[in-house]
Amino acid sequence: MTPTGSALTAGVIGQPIGHSLSPLMMSRWIQDAGLDAIYTPYIATPHMFAPIVSALFRAGLKGLNVTLPHKTEALRLSHRISDRAERIGAANLLTSIDGEVHADNTDAIGFISALRTSGHDPAAKNALVLGAGGAARAIVDGLIEAGVSGLTICNRSRARAESMRADLAPNAHIGTWDERNDALLEADIVVNATSLGLSDQPELGMDWSQAKSSAIIADSVYVPLETGFLRTASEAGLTTVDGLGMLIEQGRPSFTAFFGQEAPETTDIRSLLIQALATRS
Ligand code: NDP
């Protein structure tokens, strides 16, 4: 329906924000659900993030998805923080409830739901996570909650991997960045949670020869949809899961938090987003 003056409002805030697929995804869900609602992109410099969030919530906004570079700052301005956002140290979802800002993180659920939607349950599996930044922290938290039996972390900076282990995964094994190919021997699930492979970044090079033939190879990057990491894994005969599923599945709980109902399944949202990505390249 066409939004009225009583429309519920929500949005996504970041810098840059022009590339975000969230407005397209959320607006289609709003349309399919027949809601009187609007979802808008907002740009904010780090300096302006807190005042803009505060003004938007005072003006009646229901909630915000938060993207780079504000996910850590989002915690600092919140009155209430979910346990998982606290553990991960970042929030991608802010909601306004009774005048208070609530922070949550749906990236962890998003990653696990994307794996499960693709038919892969991480429970009782050995996982290898490459990276130790914000996305890796969410993915590691999700994998632990999903019941992985073992976890190895390889990151370029060992100190960051150790800090992640201390905060989230005390039983994890830490390998050096150069040991990532050897770590494939034991891994049932391998995740690229680095920014390598993004369209403006170098590829994450792997030698898949030691990987289990049954291993599932997942990427957090979705621009491009098929990174070199996934393409080479696929060429080696391994099963792959791209990063778009994580984006869609982190959006579903956000939609529910904003509008009080589940995102409809009417539209093939994945095809819609793939189409949008294709027109940009
Ligand atoms: P961060 O900047 O927090 O972390 C970047 C990570 O990449 C670090 O582990 C860093 O290692 C590693 N890295 C960067 N450059 C190199 C390099 N040249 N060699 C080896 N390692 C490198 O970013 P985020 O964690 O926030 O984001 C990571 C990715 O996750 C992004 O591509 C983002 O698009 C994606 N993402 C996807 C989502 C989705 O819904 N699909 C949601 C959120 C994020 P070091 O610690 O040594 O610097």
Side-chain angles (χ1 to χ4, degrees):
M1 69 181 287
T2 309
T4 70
S6 320
L8 299 174
T9 53
V12 57
I13 187 163
Q15 187 196 36
I17 200 62
H19 69 287
S20 175
L21 291 173
S22 294
L24 175 64
M25 177 169 74
M26 291 284 179
S27 299
R28 179 56 68 99
W29 282 336
I30 287 170
Q31 187 186 325
D32 289 349
L35 287 176
D36 184 8
I38 307 177
Y39 185 92
T40 314
Y42 298 100
I43 191 155
T45 60
H47 182 62
M48 287 306 291
F49 176 68
I52 288 175
V53 169
S54 169
L56 287 170
F57 282 149
R58 270 186 279 136
L61 206 81
K62 287 283 173 196
L64 280 169
N65 287 121
V66 181
T67 186
L68 291 176
H70 305 308
K71 288 186 177 186
T72 308
E73 185 58 25
L75 284 186
R76 276 195 274 270
L77 59 73
S78 298
H79 304 101
R80 287 171 193 263
I81 298 172
S82 72
D83 289 346
R84 68 185 155 204
E86 182 89 57
R87 279 195 307 269
I88 293 165
N92 71 327
L93 172 63
L94 296 178
T95 44
S96 174
I97 302 172
D98 298 330
E100 290 191 326
V101 179
H102 290 228
D104 201 354
N105 190 309
T106 65
D107 282 337
I109 302 172
F111 177 71
I112 299 301
S113 298
L115 272 186
R116 290 190 177 135
T117 308
S118 317
H120 312 298
D121 188 345
K125 300 278 178 13
N126 261 317
L128 167 62
V129 174
L130 306 173
R137 290 179 74 95
I139 287 166
V140 160
D141 194 64
L143 285 169
I144 290 173
E145 200 170 295
V148 288
S149 53
L151 183 63
T152 299
I153 301 160
C154 293
N155 190 51
R156 181 179 58 176
S157 138
R158 189 179 175 97
R160 215 167 171 197
E162 279 172 358
S163 157
M164 180 164 83
R165 174 169 66 180
D167 293 344
L168 294 171
N171 297 323
H173 170 74
I174 294 183
T176 65
W177 185 239
D178 288 341
E179 283 166 354
R180 65 190 186 280
N181 290 320
D182 296 333
L184 291 173
L185 264 173
E186 302 289 324
D188 302 304
I189 298 174
V190 183
V191 190
N192 172 26
T194 73
S195 45
L196 291 174
L198 270 173
S199 43
D200 59 348
Q201 296 286 316
E203 293 289 1
L204 169 40
M206 295 295 292
D207 172 359
W208 297 108
S209 57
Q210 296 189 79
K212 292 184 181 183
S213 59
S214 58
I216 308 299
I217 315 302
D219 211 322
S220 63
V221 173
Y222 57 87
V223 183
L225 200 55
E226 190 182 50
T227 56
F229 180 76
L230 293 187
R231 192 190 63 253
T232 53
S234 195
E235 285 165 0
L238 304 170
T239 303
T240 62
V241 177
D242 64 51
L244 197 56
M246 179 177 175
L247 177 81
I248 296 169
E249 297 303 323
Q250 64 76 36
R252 290 187 190 282
S254 299
F255 184 91
T256 306
F258 301 147
F259 305 121
Q261 60 179 267
E262 286 187 12
E265 300 281 354
T266 328
T267 296
D268 178 353
I269 212 79
R270 183 177 161 83
S271 298
L272 182 79
L273 299 185
I274 289 174
Q275 230 175 356
L277 286 173
T279 59
R280 288 176 192 186
S281 54

